[in-house]
Short mmCIF file of all heavy atoms in Angstrom, two decimals:
data_model
loop_
_atom_site.label_atom_id
_atom_site.label_comp_id
_atom_site.label_asym_id
_atom_site.label_seq_id
_atom_site.Cartn_x
_atom_site.Cartn_y
_atom_site.Cartn_z
N MET A 459 78.78 114.20 98.80
CA MET A 459 79.50 114.47 99.95
C MET A 459 80.63 115.45 99.73
O MET A 459 80.80 116.33 100.49
CB MET A 459 80.08 113.09 100.40
CG MET A 459 80.87 113.11 101.71
SD MET A 459 79.73 113.55 103.02
CE MET A 459 80.75 113.50 104.35
N HIS A 460 81.31 115.33 98.52
CA HIS A 460 82.29 116.20 98.15
C HIS A 460 81.77 117.78 98.22
O HIS A 460 82.20 118.59 98.77
CB HIS A 460 82.85 115.87 96.68
CG HIS A 460 83.93 116.84 96.27
ND1 HIS A 460 83.56 117.80 95.35
CD2 HIS A 460 85.16 116.98 96.49
CE1 HIS A 460 84.64 118.46 95.08
NE2 HIS A 460 85.79 118.02 95.75
N ASP A 461 80.59 117.87 97.41
CA ASP A 461 79.98 119.23 97.36
C ASP A 461 79.50 119.76 98.71
O ASP A 461 79.65 121.00 98.96
CB ASP A 461 78.95 119.21 96.25
CG ASP A 461 79.35 119.03 94.86
OD1 ASP A 461 80.59 118.98 94.66
OD2 ASP A 461 78.57 118.78 93.99
N PHE A 462 79.01 118.84 99.45
CA PHE A 462 78.66 119.28 100.79
C PHE A 462 79.94 119.81 101.71
O PHE A 462 79.69 120.84 102.33
CB PHE A 462 78.07 117.91 101.47
CG PHE A 462 77.64 118.12 102.96
CD1 PHE A 462 76.49 118.88 103.35
CD2 PHE A 462 78.42 117.74 104.00
CE1 PHE A 462 76.09 119.14 104.70
CE2 PHE A 462 78.06 117.93 105.35
CZ PHE A 462 76.87 118.62 105.71
N LEU A 463 80.87 119.16 101.56
CA LEU A 463 82.03 119.61 102.28
C LEU A 463 82.57 120.93 101.73
O LEU A 463 82.97 121.76 102.50
CB LEU A 463 83.19 118.55 102.28
CG LEU A 463 82.83 117.29 103.10
CD1 LEU A 463 84.05 116.16 102.88
CD2 LEU A 463 82.77 117.59 104.52
N TYR A 464 82.52 121.19 100.34
CA TYR A 464 82.85 122.38 99.90
C TYR A 464 81.94 123.49 100.29
O TYR A 464 82.43 124.66 100.56
CB TYR A 464 82.92 122.18 98.25
CG TYR A 464 84.22 121.88 97.70
CD1 TYR A 464 84.86 120.79 97.93
CD2 TYR A 464 84.85 122.79 96.77
CE1 TYR A 464 86.21 120.61 97.41
CE2 TYR A 464 86.07 122.70 96.17
CZ TYR A 464 86.67 121.46 96.40
OH TYR A 464 87.90 121.27 95.96
N ALA A 465 80.67 123.12 100.35
CA ALA A 465 79.64 124.21 100.70
C ALA A 465 80.03 124.69 102.18
O ALA A 465 79.72 125.92 102.39
CB ALA A 465 78.30 123.60 100.68
N TYR A 466 80.58 123.92 102.98
CA TYR A 466 80.81 124.30 104.41
C TYR A 466 82.39 124.53 104.64
O TYR A 466 82.79 124.48 105.77
CB TYR A 466 80.24 123.35 105.40
CG TYR A 466 78.74 123.32 105.42
CD1 TYR A 466 78.05 122.44 104.64
CD2 TYR A 466 78.14 124.39 106.08
CE1 TYR A 466 76.68 122.49 104.78
CE2 TYR A 466 76.77 124.57 106.11
CZ TYR A 466 75.90 123.50 105.44
OH TYR A 466 74.56 123.61 105.40
N ASP A 467 83.12 124.69 103.55
CA ASP A 467 84.53 124.96 103.72
C ASP A 467 85.24 123.84 104.55
O ASP A 467 86.11 124.16 105.27
CB ASP A 467 84.87 126.30 104.38
CG ASP A 467 86.22 126.85 104.10
OD1 ASP A 467 86.82 126.34 103.07
OD2 ASP A 467 86.57 127.78 104.85
N GLY A 468 84.62 122.62 104.46
CA GLY A 468 85.28 121.48 105.12
C GLY A 468 84.90 121.39 106.46
O GLY A 468 85.38 120.61 107.30
N ASP A 469 84.11 122.35 107.08
CA ASP A 469 83.70 122.28 108.48
C ASP A 469 82.15 122.18 108.60
O ASP A 469 81.47 123.15 108.76
CB ASP A 469 84.21 123.55 109.09
CG ASP A 469 84.03 123.66 110.62
OD1 ASP A 469 83.74 122.56 111.22
OD2 ASP A 469 84.15 124.70 111.25
N PRO A 470 81.66 120.91 108.34
CA PRO A 470 80.21 120.72 108.28
C PRO A 470 79.58 121.04 109.65
O PRO A 470 80.21 120.93 110.63
CB PRO A 470 80.07 119.31 107.93
CG PRO A 470 81.36 118.58 108.31
CD PRO A 470 82.32 119.71 108.30
N PRO A 471 78.22 121.32 109.71
CA PRO A 471 77.52 121.68 110.86
C PRO A 471 77.49 120.56 111.76
O PRO A 471 77.66 119.38 111.51
CB PRO A 471 76.13 121.96 110.29
CG PRO A 471 76.15 121.96 108.90
CD PRO A 471 77.38 121.42 108.48
N ALA A 472 77.40 120.86 113.07
CA ALA A 472 77.38 119.84 114.14
C ALA A 472 76.29 118.78 113.94
O ALA A 472 75.20 119.21 113.51
CB ALA A 472 77.13 120.53 115.51
N GLY A 473 76.57 117.59 114.08
CA GLY A 473 75.58 116.52 113.91
C GLY A 473 75.38 115.96 112.57
O GLY A 473 74.76 115.02 112.35
N SER A 474 76.11 116.64 111.54
CA SER A 474 75.99 116.09 110.27
C SER A 474 76.92 115.00 109.90
O SER A 474 76.71 114.26 108.96
CB SER A 474 76.19 117.23 109.30
OG SER A 474 77.39 117.80 109.26
N ILE A 475 78.02 114.94 110.51
CA ILE A 475 79.12 113.87 110.44
C ILE A 475 79.51 113.34 111.66
O ILE A 475 79.85 114.10 112.60
CB ILE A 475 80.20 114.41 109.54
CG1 ILE A 475 79.90 114.79 108.06
CG2 ILE A 475 81.39 113.37 109.48
CD1 ILE A 475 80.95 115.39 107.27
N GLU A 476 79.52 111.99 111.78
CA GLU A 476 79.91 111.36 113.00
C GLU A 476 81.28 110.56 112.65
O GLU A 476 81.11 109.71 111.80
CB GLU A 476 78.83 110.56 113.54
CG GLU A 476 77.68 111.29 113.97
CD GLU A 476 78.04 112.20 115.26
OE1 GLU A 476 78.86 111.96 115.94
OE2 GLU A 476 77.37 113.30 115.36
N PRO A 477 82.28 110.52 113.42
CA PRO A 477 82.49 111.58 114.43
C PRO A 477 82.81 112.96 113.80
O PRO A 477 83.24 113.02 112.71
CB PRO A 477 83.64 111.05 115.14
CG PRO A 477 84.55 110.27 114.11
CD PRO A 477 83.42 109.66 113.20
N PRO A 478 82.39 114.05 114.46
CA PRO A 478 82.57 115.47 113.98
C PRO A 478 84.07 115.69 113.71
O PRO A 478 84.97 115.23 114.45
CB PRO A 478 82.20 116.24 115.22
CG PRO A 478 81.53 115.50 116.07
CD PRO A 478 81.90 114.06 115.91
N ARG A 479 84.37 116.31 112.65
CA ARG A 479 85.69 116.73 112.28
C ARG A 479 85.72 117.73 111.11
O ARG A 479 84.68 118.09 110.45
CB ARG A 479 86.47 115.45 111.91
CG ARG A 479 86.00 114.81 110.48
CD ARG A 479 86.92 113.70 110.04
NE ARG A 479 88.07 114.62 109.40
CZ ARG A 479 88.93 114.05 108.53
NH1 ARG A 479 88.76 112.76 108.07
NH2 ARG A 479 90.06 114.79 108.09
N VAL A 480 86.86 118.33 110.91
CA VAL A 480 87.00 119.32 109.83
C VAL A 480 87.88 118.70 108.73
O VAL A 480 88.84 117.91 109.05
CB VAL A 480 87.74 120.63 110.42
CG1 VAL A 480 88.02 121.56 109.16
CG2 VAL A 480 86.83 121.22 111.49
N TYR A 481 87.49 118.82 107.47
CA TYR A 481 88.25 118.37 106.42
C TYR A 481 89.06 119.42 105.62
O TYR A 481 88.47 120.59 105.50
CB TYR A 481 87.26 117.72 105.36
CG TYR A 481 86.55 116.45 105.78
CD1 TYR A 481 85.53 116.62 106.70
CD2 TYR A 481 86.92 115.26 105.47
CE1 TYR A 481 84.84 115.52 107.15
CE2 TYR A 481 86.32 114.10 106.07
CZ TYR A 481 85.37 114.27 106.79
OH TYR A 481 84.63 113.17 107.25
N THR A 482 90.17 119.08 105.15
CA THR A 482 90.87 120.00 104.18
C THR A 482 90.30 119.83 102.90
O THR A 482 89.62 118.91 102.59
CB THR A 482 92.42 119.71 104.22
OG1 THR A 482 92.55 118.37 103.63
CG2 THR A 482 93.04 119.78 105.54
N ARG A 483 90.63 120.84 101.87
CA ARG A 483 90.15 120.67 100.52
C ARG A 483 90.79 119.38 99.85
O ARG A 483 90.09 118.68 99.19
CB ARG A 483 90.51 121.91 99.72
CG ARG A 483 89.93 121.89 98.38
CD ARG A 483 90.21 123.12 97.68
NE ARG A 483 91.57 123.35 97.24
CZ ARG A 483 91.96 122.77 95.84
NH1 ARG A 483 91.11 122.17 95.24
NH2 ARG A 483 93.30 123.01 95.58
N LYS A 484 91.93 119.15 100.26
CA LYS A 484 92.69 117.83 99.66
C LYS A 484 91.91 116.70 100.16
O LYS A 484 91.68 115.80 99.39
CB LYS A 484 94.10 117.89 100.13
CG LYS A 484 94.78 116.72 99.46
CD LYS A 484 96.35 116.70 99.80
CE LYS A 484 97.02 115.63 99.17
NZ LYS A 484 98.37 115.65 99.45
N GLU A 485 91.52 116.58 101.42
CA GLU A 485 90.77 115.54 101.95
C GLU A 485 89.42 115.32 101.23
O GLU A 485 89.03 114.21 100.86
CB GLU A 485 90.56 115.56 103.41
CG GLU A 485 91.88 115.34 104.18
CD GLU A 485 91.81 115.64 105.65
OE1 GLU A 485 91.00 116.58 106.09
OE2 GLU A 485 92.42 114.93 106.42
N ALA A 486 88.75 116.46 101.07
CA ALA A 486 87.36 116.43 100.35
C ALA A 486 87.57 115.87 98.95
O ALA A 486 86.82 115.11 98.43
CB ALA A 486 86.77 117.87 100.38
N ASP A 487 88.61 116.34 98.28
CA ASP A 487 88.80 115.85 96.94
C ASP A 487 89.32 114.47 96.91
O ASP A 487 88.89 113.64 96.02
CB ASP A 487 89.99 116.72 96.17
CG ASP A 487 89.63 118.19 95.98
OD1 ASP A 487 88.46 118.44 96.17
OD2 ASP A 487 90.43 119.02 95.73
N GLN A 488 90.09 113.91 97.82
CA GLN A 488 90.40 112.47 97.90
C GLN A 488 89.28 111.73 98.31
O GLN A 488 89.08 110.55 97.68
CB GLN A 488 91.50 112.31 98.99
CG GLN A 488 92.83 112.87 98.55
CD GLN A 488 93.88 112.74 99.62
OE1 GLN A 488 93.52 112.73 100.79
NE2 GLN A 488 95.14 112.77 99.33
N LEU A 489 88.28 112.25 99.03
CA LEU A 489 87.04 111.47 99.28
C LEU A 489 86.17 111.36 97.95
O LEU A 489 85.65 110.32 97.66
CB LEU A 489 86.31 112.17 100.40
CG LEU A 489 84.98 111.52 100.85
CD1 LEU A 489 85.16 110.14 101.22
CD2 LEU A 489 84.29 112.48 101.80
N PHE A 490 86.12 112.40 97.08
CA PHE A 490 85.53 112.45 95.85
C PHE A 490 86.01 111.29 95.00
O PHE A 490 85.29 110.49 94.35
CB PHE A 490 85.69 113.82 95.18
CG PHE A 490 85.21 113.87 93.80
CD1 PHE A 490 83.87 113.76 93.50
CD2 PHE A 490 86.21 114.15 92.80
CE1 PHE A 490 83.59 113.91 92.18
CE2 PHE A 490 85.69 114.33 91.50
CZ PHE A 490 84.46 114.10 91.12
N ARG A 491 87.40 111.20 95.01
CA ARG A 491 88.02 110.19 94.08
C ARG A 491 87.73 108.74 94.63
O ARG A 491 87.37 107.88 93.93
CB ARG A 491 89.63 110.31 94.15
CG ARG A 491 90.24 109.33 93.39
CD ARG A 491 91.85 109.49 93.26
NE ARG A 491 92.32 109.67 94.56
CZ ARG A 491 93.62 109.92 94.72
NH1 ARG A 491 94.37 110.29 93.81
NH2 ARG A 491 94.15 110.01 96.06
N ARG A 492 87.81 108.62 95.98
CA ARG A 492 87.43 107.34 96.59
C ARG A 492 85.97 106.83 96.36
O ARG A 492 85.76 105.69 96.10
CB ARG A 492 87.71 107.38 98.12
CG ARG A 492 87.43 106.11 98.82
CD ARG A 492 88.41 105.05 98.44
NE ARG A 492 88.24 103.83 99.44
CZ ARG A 492 88.01 102.68 98.75
NH1 ARG A 492 88.03 102.48 97.44
NH2 ARG A 492 87.73 101.64 99.48
N ILE A 493 85.06 107.85 96.39
CA ILE A 493 83.60 107.59 96.16
C ILE A 493 83.51 107.07 94.81
O ILE A 493 82.79 106.23 94.48
CB ILE A 493 82.79 108.72 96.47
CG1 ILE A 493 82.82 108.91 98.08
CG2 ILE A 493 81.29 108.56 96.03
CD1 ILE A 493 82.14 110.24 98.54
N MET A 494 84.10 107.71 93.86
CA MET A 494 84.01 107.46 92.44
C MET A 494 84.47 105.96 92.23
O MET A 494 83.87 105.10 91.58
CB MET A 494 84.76 108.37 91.65
CG MET A 494 84.05 109.65 91.28
SD MET A 494 84.82 110.67 90.02
CE MET A 494 86.39 110.91 90.71
N GLU A 495 85.61 105.57 92.89
CA GLU A 495 86.19 104.20 92.89
C GLU A 495 85.15 103.27 93.38
O GLU A 495 85.02 102.14 92.72
CB GLU A 495 87.52 104.18 93.59
CG GLU A 495 88.26 102.84 93.50
CD GLU A 495 89.48 102.97 94.34
OE1 GLU A 495 89.99 103.87 94.83
OE2 GLU A 495 89.98 101.76 94.65
N ILE A 496 84.65 103.53 94.63
CA ILE A 496 83.71 102.56 95.21
C ILE A 496 82.56 102.41 94.23
O ILE A 496 81.92 101.21 94.07
CB ILE A 496 83.32 103.14 96.57
CG1 ILE A 496 84.37 103.03 97.60
CG2 ILE A 496 82.07 102.39 97.14
CD1 ILE A 496 84.21 103.70 98.84
N GLU A 497 82.06 103.50 93.66
CA GLU A 497 80.86 103.49 92.74
C GLU A 497 81.09 102.83 91.26
O GLU A 497 80.27 102.72 90.51
CB GLU A 497 80.20 104.86 92.45
CG GLU A 497 79.48 105.34 93.72
CD GLU A 497 78.30 104.51 94.23
OE1 GLU A 497 77.56 104.17 93.34
OE2 GLU A 497 78.25 104.35 95.37
N GLY A 498 82.41 102.42 91.17
CA GLY A 498 82.84 101.65 89.86
C GLY A 498 83.06 102.66 88.70
O GLY A 498 83.11 102.15 87.48
N VAL A 499 83.28 103.91 88.93
CA VAL A 499 83.66 104.83 87.80
C VAL A 499 85.11 104.36 87.33
O VAL A 499 86.02 104.19 88.07
CB VAL A 499 83.69 106.34 88.30
CG1 VAL A 499 84.15 107.15 87.19
CG2 VAL A 499 82.30 106.75 88.89
N PRO A 500 85.18 104.06 85.99
CA PRO A 500 86.42 103.63 85.54
C PRO A 500 87.57 104.63 85.81
O PRO A 500 87.28 105.84 85.69
CB PRO A 500 86.18 103.40 83.95
CG PRO A 500 84.81 103.93 83.74
CD PRO A 500 84.15 104.23 84.91
N GLY A 501 88.74 104.25 85.72
CA GLY A 501 89.90 105.02 86.07
C GLY A 501 90.12 106.04 84.96
O GLY A 501 90.52 107.34 85.31
N TRP A 502 89.74 105.87 83.72
CA TRP A 502 89.93 106.79 82.66
C TRP A 502 88.96 108.05 82.83
O TRP A 502 89.26 109.16 82.28
CB TRP A 502 89.78 106.18 81.32
CG TRP A 502 88.38 105.58 80.94
CD1 TRP A 502 88.02 104.55 81.16
CD2 TRP A 502 87.33 106.44 80.36
NE1 TRP A 502 86.68 104.47 80.74
CE2 TRP A 502 86.22 105.57 80.31
CE3 TRP A 502 87.17 107.80 79.87
CZ2 TRP A 502 84.99 105.80 79.76
CZ3 TRP A 502 85.94 108.12 79.42
CH2 TRP A 502 84.91 107.14 79.25
N ARG A 503 87.91 107.79 83.59
CA ARG A 503 86.99 108.97 83.93
C ARG A 503 87.29 109.61 85.21
O ARG A 503 87.17 110.74 85.45
CB ARG A 503 85.51 108.48 83.85
CG ARG A 503 85.03 108.22 82.50
CD ARG A 503 83.67 107.84 82.46
NE ARG A 503 82.86 109.05 82.34
CZ ARG A 503 81.63 109.16 82.37
NH1 ARG A 503 80.83 108.10 82.46
NH2 ARG A 503 80.99 110.30 82.06
N ARG A 504 87.64 108.67 86.23
CA ARG A 504 87.98 109.05 87.66
C ARG A 504 89.18 110.02 87.65
O ARG A 504 88.99 111.05 88.42
CB ARG A 504 88.16 107.86 88.47
CG ARG A 504 88.17 107.98 89.92
CD ARG A 504 88.18 106.78 90.62
NE ARG A 504 89.30 105.81 90.24
CZ ARG A 504 89.19 104.61 89.85
NH1 ARG A 504 88.05 104.09 89.62
NH2 ARG A 504 90.25 103.86 89.67
N THR A 505 90.24 109.60 86.98
CA THR A 505 91.46 110.38 87.12
C THR A 505 91.24 111.89 86.58
O THR A 505 91.69 112.78 87.33
CB THR A 505 92.54 109.75 86.40
OG1 THR A 505 92.84 108.46 87.15
CG2 THR A 505 93.88 110.56 86.50
N PRO A 506 90.72 112.14 85.33
CA PRO A 506 90.54 113.48 84.96
C PRO A 506 89.66 114.25 85.88
O PRO A 506 89.87 115.56 86.10
CB PRO A 506 89.97 113.36 83.56
CG PRO A 506 90.33 111.90 83.12
CD PRO A 506 90.39 111.17 84.35
N ALA A 507 88.59 113.58 86.43
CA ALA A 507 87.62 114.37 87.34
C ALA A 507 88.42 114.69 88.52
O ALA A 507 88.18 115.80 89.09
CB ALA A 507 86.37 113.35 87.60
N TYR A 508 89.13 113.85 89.18
CA TYR A 508 89.99 114.11 90.29
C TYR A 508 91.00 115.29 90.13
O TYR A 508 90.94 116.28 90.84
CB TYR A 508 90.55 112.98 90.83
CG TYR A 508 91.64 113.17 91.99
CD1 TYR A 508 91.09 113.51 93.24
CD2 TYR A 508 93.00 113.35 91.76
CE1 TYR A 508 91.84 113.90 94.35
CE2 TYR A 508 93.83 113.53 92.77
CZ TYR A 508 93.27 113.80 94.06
OH TYR A 508 94.11 114.15 95.13
N LEU A 509 91.60 115.20 88.92
CA LEU A 509 92.62 116.23 88.77
C LEU A 509 91.95 117.63 88.46
O LEU A 509 92.55 118.59 88.91
CB LEU A 509 93.44 115.78 87.44
CG LEU A 509 94.32 114.78 87.61
CD1 LEU A 509 95.00 114.29 86.27
CD2 LEU A 509 95.40 114.93 88.67
N ALA A 510 90.80 117.64 87.92
CA ALA A 510 90.01 118.81 87.57
C ALA A 510 89.62 119.36 89.01
O ALA A 510 89.73 120.68 89.16
CB ALA A 510 88.71 118.64 86.74
N VAL A 511 89.10 118.71 89.94
CA VAL A 511 88.68 119.32 91.18
C VAL A 511 89.99 119.67 92.05
O VAL A 511 89.92 120.78 92.72
CB VAL A 511 87.81 118.44 92.18
CG1 VAL A 511 86.60 118.18 91.45
CG2 VAL A 511 88.55 117.10 92.49
N ARG A 512 91.09 119.05 91.84
CA ARG A 512 92.34 119.46 92.52
C ARG A 512 92.79 120.76 91.87
O ARG A 512 93.31 121.64 92.55
CB ARG A 512 93.54 118.34 92.44
CG ARG A 512 93.19 117.15 93.33
CD ARG A 512 93.11 117.50 94.85
NE ARG A 512 94.23 118.14 95.31
CZ ARG A 512 94.22 118.99 96.33
NH1 ARG A 512 93.04 119.38 96.82
NH2 ARG A 512 95.25 119.61 96.76
N GLY A 513 92.78 120.84 90.51
CA GLY A 513 93.33 121.97 89.91
C GLY A 513 92.49 123.26 90.01
O GLY A 513 93.02 124.27 90.04
N PHE A 514 91.11 123.05 90.04
CA PHE A 514 90.23 124.24 89.90
C PHE A 514 89.23 124.32 91.03
O PHE A 514 88.51 125.31 91.26
CB PHE A 514 89.35 124.12 88.67
CG PHE A 514 90.26 124.27 87.49
CD1 PHE A 514 90.46 123.15 86.78
CD2 PHE A 514 90.85 125.46 87.06
CE1 PHE A 514 91.39 123.08 85.69
CE2 PHE A 514 91.63 125.50 85.81
CZ PHE A 514 91.91 124.40 85.10
N GLY A 515 89.41 123.36 92.02
CA GLY A 515 88.43 123.37 93.14
C GLY A 515 88.59 124.49 94.26
O GLY A 515 87.69 124.94 94.87
N TRP A 516 89.80 125.19 94.11
CA TRP A 516 89.93 126.18 94.98
C TRP A 516 88.96 127.39 94.67
O TRP A 516 88.56 128.17 95.53
CB TRP A 516 91.51 126.88 94.81
CG TRP A 516 91.73 127.27 93.50
CD1 TRP A 516 92.24 126.71 92.38
CD2 TRP A 516 91.48 128.69 92.92
NE1 TRP A 516 92.31 127.43 91.29
CE2 TRP A 516 92.00 128.71 91.57
CE3 TRP A 516 91.04 129.86 93.46
CZ2 TRP A 516 91.86 129.75 90.72
CZ3 TRP A 516 90.94 130.96 92.73
CH2 TRP A 516 91.38 130.95 91.42
N ILE A 517 88.43 127.48 93.45
CA ILE A 517 87.42 128.51 93.22
C ILE A 517 86.23 128.36 93.95
O ILE A 517 85.68 129.20 94.53
CB ILE A 517 87.11 128.51 91.58
CG1 ILE A 517 88.29 128.87 90.80
CG2 ILE A 517 85.99 129.41 91.22
CD1 ILE A 517 88.23 128.62 89.33
N GLY A 518 85.67 127.03 94.12
CA GLY A 518 84.51 126.80 94.87
C GLY A 518 84.79 126.75 96.34
O GLY A 518 83.84 127.19 97.17
N TRP A 519 85.96 126.37 96.63
CA TRP A 519 86.37 126.38 98.07
C TRP A 519 86.34 127.68 98.70
O TRP A 519 85.99 127.95 99.84
CB TRP A 519 87.66 125.73 98.28
CG TRP A 519 88.02 125.23 99.61
CD1 TRP A 519 88.89 126.09 100.52
CD2 TRP A 519 87.61 124.16 100.38
NE1 TRP A 519 89.02 125.43 101.65
CE2 TRP A 519 88.35 124.35 101.66
CE3 TRP A 519 86.81 123.09 100.12
CZ2 TRP A 519 88.18 123.36 102.60
CZ3 TRP A 519 86.71 122.16 101.23
CH2 TRP A 519 87.36 122.27 102.36
N ARG A 520 86.66 128.69 97.86
CA ARG A 520 86.85 130.14 98.51
C ARG A 520 85.54 130.93 98.35
O ARG A 520 85.53 132.14 98.63
CB ARG A 520 87.97 130.77 97.79
CG ARG A 520 89.26 130.15 98.05
CD ARG A 520 90.32 131.01 97.36
NE ARG A 520 91.66 130.28 97.50
CZ ARG A 520 92.54 130.48 98.59
NH1 ARG A 520 92.12 131.04 99.53
NH2 ARG A 520 93.58 129.83 98.56
N LYS A 521 84.51 130.35 97.63
CA LYS A 521 83.28 131.19 97.53
C LYS A 521 82.51 131.23 98.92
O LYS A 521 82.93 130.57 99.79
CB LYS A 521 82.33 130.50 96.50
CG LYS A 521 82.87 130.71 95.13
CD LYS A 521 81.86 130.25 94.15
CE LYS A 521 82.11 130.50 92.71
NZ LYS A 521 81.40 130.01 91.73
N GLN A 522 81.40 132.16 98.86
CA GLN A 522 80.64 132.25 100.02
C GLN A 522 80.13 130.96 100.58
O GLN A 522 79.71 130.08 99.87
CB GLN A 522 79.55 133.20 99.76
CG GLN A 522 78.55 133.39 100.86
CD GLN A 522 79.15 134.25 102.02
OE1 GLN A 522 80.07 135.02 101.73
NE2 GLN A 522 78.91 134.00 103.33
N LYS A 523 80.34 130.69 101.83
CA LYS A 523 79.88 129.35 102.39
C LYS A 523 78.48 129.43 103.06
O LYS A 523 77.97 130.52 103.36
CB LYS A 523 80.88 128.92 103.48
CG LYS A 523 82.28 128.88 103.21
CD LYS A 523 82.44 128.02 101.96
CE LYS A 523 83.91 128.11 101.31
NZ LYS A 523 83.98 127.55 100.03
N LEU A 524 77.89 128.20 103.08
CA LEU A 524 76.55 128.16 103.62
C LEU A 524 76.63 128.23 105.22
O LEU A 524 77.53 128.05 105.82
CB LEU A 524 75.95 126.86 103.31
CG LEU A 524 75.68 126.47 101.85
CD1 LEU A 524 75.14 125.17 101.62
CD2 LEU A 524 74.69 127.45 101.19
N GLU A 525 75.59 128.93 105.71
CA GLU A 525 75.48 129.13 107.16
C GLU A 525 74.63 127.87 107.78
O GLU A 525 73.67 127.46 107.17
CB GLU A 525 74.62 130.36 107.54
CG GLU A 525 75.32 131.60 107.07
CD GLU A 525 76.57 131.85 107.89
OE1 GLU A 525 76.67 131.62 109.04
OE2 GLU A 525 77.51 132.32 107.18
N PRO A 526 75.24 127.29 108.80
CA PRO A 526 74.55 126.12 109.46
C PRO A 526 73.06 126.63 109.83
O PRO A 526 72.84 127.62 110.17
CB PRO A 526 75.34 125.81 110.74
CG PRO A 526 76.69 126.51 110.47
CD PRO A 526 76.50 127.69 109.51
N GLN A 527 72.25 125.62 109.71
CA GLN A 527 70.88 125.87 109.97
C GLN A 527 70.41 125.31 111.27
O GLN A 527 70.95 124.30 111.59
CB GLN A 527 69.91 125.38 108.80
CG GLN A 527 70.19 126.00 107.61
CD GLN A 527 69.20 125.68 106.46
OE1 GLN A 527 68.33 125.05 106.58
NE2 GLN A 527 69.58 126.09 105.22
#
């Protein structure tokens, strides 16, 4: 989900998310952290992964975005 939101700059194609909405990069990263928590990823792995996407995610967020199909 996190990578999907990054691929569309937080604005996924119509019909892909209900209800439709636009996500900020911070919201996408927080979703990443929450999904890891739900999936049982221990905090000692979850926290560094979250901090890495917060610190360096701007690189992927600013790359060429996918065109809706």
Side-chain angles (χ1 to χ4, degrees):
M459 185 66 181
H460 176 262
D461 292 350
F462 175 78
L463 291 173
Y464 263 60
Y466 289 101
D467 199 24
D469 190 9
S474 62
I475 295 181
E476 293 297 330
R479 63 168 291 200
V480 175
Y481 292 80
T482 65
R483 185 173 78 84
K484 183 176 183 177
E485 289 172 325
D487 293 347
Q488 289 172 337
L489 182 60
F490 173 64
R491 181 176 54 185
R492 180 70 179 126
I493 289 169
M494 285 191 294
E495 182 181 345
I496 290 168
E497 290 296 318
V499 176
W502 66 269
R503 292 186 86 180
R504 190 172 61 238
T505 299
Y508 172 74
L509 292 175
V511 298
R512 287 303 301 147
F514 300 101
W516 62 270
I517 297 166
W519 190 260
R520 295 183 188 276
K521 285 188 176 179
Q522 180 67 32
K523 302 305 170 196
L524 297 176
E525 293 296 322
Q527 296 183 12

